[in-house]
Amino acid sequence: MKITEIETFLVPPRWLFLKVSTDEGVTGWGEPVVEGRAATVRAAVHELADLVTGKDPLRIEDHWQVLRRAGFYRGGPVLSSALSGFDHALWDIAGKVRRAPVHELLGGPVRDRVRMYSWVGGDRPAGVYEAVAAQVEAGFTAVKMNVSGPMQAIASPAEASAALDRAREARLALGPDRDLAIDFHGRVSPAMARRLVRMLEEVQPMFVEEPIPPELKGPALESVVSASTLPIALGERLYSRWDFKPVLDAGVAVVQPDPAHAGGISELRRIAALAEVYGASLAPHCPLGPIALAASLQVAFATPNFLIQERSVGMHYHGGVEMGRYLLDTRPFTCVEGYVARPTGFGLGIEVDEAAVRAAAEEGHTWRPPVWRHEDGGLAEW
């Protein structure tokens, strides 16, 4: 079997899909994208295509090594995301050829269902109690939310108290038997993060995500981890096991590689294994489309130290476009009491509606993240 064609599709709301075709008619799908830089990643995918075209798609690890290392310059969000999409598609092909779900090729399932969480509140959180209550009513046992919008390096007592009040609203709606994850989205300085994590101990979140920007690893991250008893999670802006080593050394409790950014299924497995050495859990970041979620779930079902899976249904960035638009059958993602059942379909376990993808690609998108500014006009972290 040989790879014959590489195609990419820029589709709403902010996604990029990849189709890998072979001379035996077996195809694989991937999702290589950086939110807000989809066209840039698309260019990288097509630059890398020469390295796999005409090759055997079942040599997944060899392709992974070549796609990452053969160009001399490696890593970072763009190249790692392009690599991720190829990796998804090659595993999809392998599962279809061997007539098995990917998680069976990874050693078999270690669980029968995977716990999911939903987003509430938006970028500038509001209506928290009502939003959380709606997710509880829908059967979810965990939600994640931002607790603030833009935040100064040293925020006022009022801002800090407002963040705590939002978390209290969520906890009130959840009750003591469900879980709350709190996302700082890298908006907070180390000094402010140390203050907030102590304050938030009251609501006992499952974890606090990305408390500081990702470039502040080392002592700054260690200081936040040691400031409270709360589990610290991060990783959506880390792109390889080498990136995760120093944050695990700093004491992070939950790693959050993104299946579309961090080298795909192959590298997520390795990052999870590295985390296991530290007693840390895997909770993949995935506010993206159906292919990335399918890839992430395949890893979740085969990973002993998996914790919980993010999903993007109803996310405020989508403008009403949901992942079901691109699937022939949405049942693989059906949540019952906050859990999704183990997929049994071959490969990634989903059937992409190629006609819908091609039609949507005619529309495309130019999604960009917002640019935030503080009251003095200085740039704020989004």
Side-chain angles (χ1 to χ4, degrees), residues 45-85:
V45 166
H46 289 285
E47 286 180 346
L48 292 171
D50 289 347
L51 295 173
V52 298
T53 303
K55 305 295 195 305
D56 179 358
L58 300 182
R59 297 186 61 175
I60 298 173
E61 183 59 29
D62 186 62
H63 290 311
W64 195 96
Q65 296 293 334
V66 170
L67 288 166
R68 177 175 168 84
R69 296 166 54 198
F72 188 70
Y73 297 99
R74 61 191 69 166
V78 173
L79 294 176
S80 293
S81 297
L83 165 59
S84 298

Side-chain angles (χ1 to χ4, degrees), residues 111-162:
R111 56 183 51 82
D112 298 319
R113 57 181 190 162
V114 156
R115 191 181 184 202
M116 311 279 279
Y117 68 81
S118 283
W119 259 95
V120 296
D123 265 345
R124 299 175 185 263
V128 170
Y129 182 91
E130 294 77 9
V132 173
Q135 294 302 322
V136 170
E137 181 67 23
F140 284 90
T141 63
V143 299
K144 187 170 80 175
M145 60 176 286
N146 293 313
V147 289
S148 76
M151 183 165 280
Q152 295 284 352
I154 307 296
S156 69
E159 288 179 90
S161 295

Side-chain angles (χ1 to χ4, degrees), residues 3 54 72-73 75 83 95 101 171 184 192 199 219 221 241 303 332 357:
I3 294 171
F72 188 70
Y73 297 99
L83 165 59
R171 173 52 69 200
F184 284 7
M192 203 63 213
M199 295 172 64
L221 180 58
R241 73 199 95 150
T303 300
V357 169

Side-chain angles (χ1 to χ4, degrees), residues 84-346:
S84 298
F86 280 110
D87 192 72
H88 302 158
L90 297 182
W91 278 107
D92 194 24
I93 290 170
K96 291 170 180 175
V97 168
R98 296 186 170 100
R99 299 182 63 79
V102 168
H103 65 264
E104 291 189 7
L105 307 184
L106 297 176
V110 296
R111 56 183 51 82
D112 298 319
R113 57 181 190 162
V114 156
R115 191 181 184 202
M116 311 279 279
Y117 68 81
S118 283
W119 259 95
V120 296
D123 265 345
R124 299 175 185 263
V128 170
Y129 182 91
E130 294 77 9
V132 173
Q135 294 302 322
V136 170
E137 181 67 23
F140 284 90
T141 63
V143 299
K144 187 170 80 175
M145 60 176 286
N146 293 313
V147 289
S148 76
M151 183 165 280
Q152 295 284 352
I154 307 296
S156 69
E159 288 179 90
S161 295
L164 176 58
D165 288 343
R166 295 182 191 104
R168 283 171 170 162
E169 284 186 61
R171 173 52 69 200
L172 184 63
L174 287 165
D177 297 323
R178 300 178 185 88
D179 280 312
L180 170 65
I182 292 173
D183 192 356
F184 284 7
H185 215 246
R187 296 172 183 169
V188 182
S189 70
M192 203 63 213
R194 290 191 292 269
R195 179 181 298 176
L196 286 171
V197 291
R198 291 192 186 102
M199 295 172 64
L200 289 165
E201 285 184 340
E202 172 191 322
V203 298
Q204 299 186 57
M206 178 166 54
F207 55 75
V208 171
E209 178 176 330
E210 207 176 26
I212 57 177
E215 57 268 26
L216 298 179
K217 299 173 185 175
L221 180 58
E222 290 175 15
S223 74
V224 177
V225 170
S226 63
S228 85
T229 62
L230 298 185
I232 301 300
L234 58 80
E236 67 190 79
R237 290 186 279 180
L238 304 179
Y239 309 110
S240 73
R241 73 199 95 150
W242 296 279
D243 289 343
F244 277 91
K245 174 66 163 59
V247 304
L248 286 162
D249 286 337
V252 163
V254 181
V255 295
Q256 298 177 296
D258 190 303
H261 302 330
I265 290 168
S266 298
E267 191 70 351
L268 253 66
R269 283 279 286 172
R270 291 187 277 256
I271 292 166
L274 176 63
E276 194 174 8
V277 174
Y278 289 82
S281 299
L282 175 75
H285 178 263
C286 194
L288 296 169
I291 302 169
L293 179 58
S296 198
L297 286 171
Q298 295 292 337
V299 174
F301 277 101
T303 300
N305 56 325
F306 168 82
L307 178 65
I308 196 167
Q309 176 64 58
E310 180 174 26
R311 66 167 205 160
S312 70
V313 174
M315 187 165 276
H316 46 289
Y317 306 125
H318 291 181
V321 177
E322 297 293 354
M323 61 180 66
R325 175 176 176 179
Y326 303 113
L327 297 176
L328 291 172
D329 183 358
T330 61
R331 285 178 295 178
F333 295 149
T334 299
C335 280
V336 178
E337 297 180 347
Y339 288 82
V340 64
R342 181 162 59 90
T344 57
F346 302 152

